[in-house]
Amino acid sequence: MSTSAPSKISKPLSMLVAASSLVSLSAMAQMRESSPLGVYGGGTFGVGVAQWPESDSTISDRAVFSGKFFGGKRLTPGLAAEINYLFFGGLDRANDSAKAAATNVASLRQKERAITLNINWEVELLNDFTNQLRFGWARTRKDQTITHADGSIERKVTYDGAPYFGAGIAFQATREVKMLSNFDYIVNGHESYYLFSIGASAEF
């Protein structure tokens, strides 16, 4: 008789503890879904690949250290307006004496920069993993340093616009911090640029 009362009390108590635990876990999950301001920023770094015309009939790919910085504001839990700043390292090309004489270009050094305005759409894949898809427009800047065959140096800056696409996988490391793996693509014909990078972002 002395053991029956504690047993009857322990069952409802256990159920109450379990229910409160579920409520706590649910509240924590909701807290991780969104931050108060819905504003985030971060950076990724990796390898950028540029399609660079070698001649009228040949196009080669050049890989250089590249990266991007970005910031965004959430419009909904899965949709955000975003701005990206992408930079690609210096690409060098040297012509042989025959081509230098024909084109009056002995060597060329080129750098590419781009600012994108885009939408970032996030789709949940698994627990703590989301797929990121980006669509927008890029404003590109190409800086060239041209060394002519006669030794003179010319600097040229060219601006252009092109469609921008991106895709990636994000892992929610903490409530505020995500680890990122991204692919970015500026679609500009024979001067398209790709960026494969990893990094992180923080949300506030």
Side-chain angles (χ1 to χ4, degrees):
M1 300 253 335
S2 62
T3 58
S4 60
S7 177
K8 290 179 180 179
I9 295 173
S10 64
K11 288 182 180 179
L13 185 61
S14 299
M15 293 176 63
L16 182 61
V17 171
S20 63
S21 298
L22 288 174
V23 171
S24 298
L25 289 173
S26 177
M28 289 176 64
Q30 291 178 0
M31 287 176 63
R32 289 189 61 178
E33 285 180 1
S34 61
S35 297
L37 297 178
V39 176
Y40 62 88
T44 63
F45 303 93
V47 176
V49 180
Q51 290 186 306
W52 194 345
E54 291 285 353
S55 65
D56 293 338
S57 60
T58 303
I59 295 195
S60 65
D61 290 339
R62 304 290 186 91
V64 292
F65 175 77
S66 306
K68 71 172 183 175
F69 298 101
F70 60 90
K73 175 69 172 73
R74 293 202 179 279
L75 308 176
T76 70
L79 199 66
E82 195 175 82
I83 182 169
N84 288 263
Y85 172 73
L86 294 87
F87 61 91
F88 298 84
L91 300 168
D92 296 287
R93 183 176 68 188
N95 293 328
D96 57 29
S97 56
K99 192 169 184 178
T103 62
N104 194 31
V105 176
S107 64
L108 174 65
R109 182 171 181 80
Q110 178 173 304
K111 291 183 179 181
E112 184 88 7
R113 304 286 185 268
I115 295 177
T116 74
L117 295 175
N118 58 272
I119 293 295
N120 179 22
W121 180 36
E122 294 189 351
V123 181
E124 185 175 355
L125 299 176
L126 298 170
N127 187 31
D128 293 329
F129 284 90
T130 55
N131 183 29
Q132 298 181 329
L133 299 174
R134 294 178 170 89
F135 309 92
W137 189 259
R139 177 69 169 172
T140 64
R141 169 176 168 156
K142 179 168 60 179
D143 292 88
Q144 293 179 315
T145 302
I146 304 168
T147 302
H148 294 287
D150 59 6
S152 62
I153 296 176
E154 177 187 1
R155 289 181 172 82
K156 185 187 296 185
V157 178
T158 307
Y159 294 92
D160 202 355
Y164 162 76
F165 299 97
I169 299 292
F171 171 70
Q172 191 86 44
T174 69
R175 178 191 168 189
E176 296 85 6
V177 178
K178 288 182 179 180
M179 307 304 295
L180 307 172
S181 175
N182 287 165
F183 167 72
D184 298 277
Y185 180 27
I186 297 174
V187 189
N188 197 19
H190 293 166
E191 295 186 0
S192 296
Y193 277 76
Y194 309 80
L195 174 61
F196 302 88
S197 59
I198 57 174
S201 68
E203 187 165 340
F204 307 94

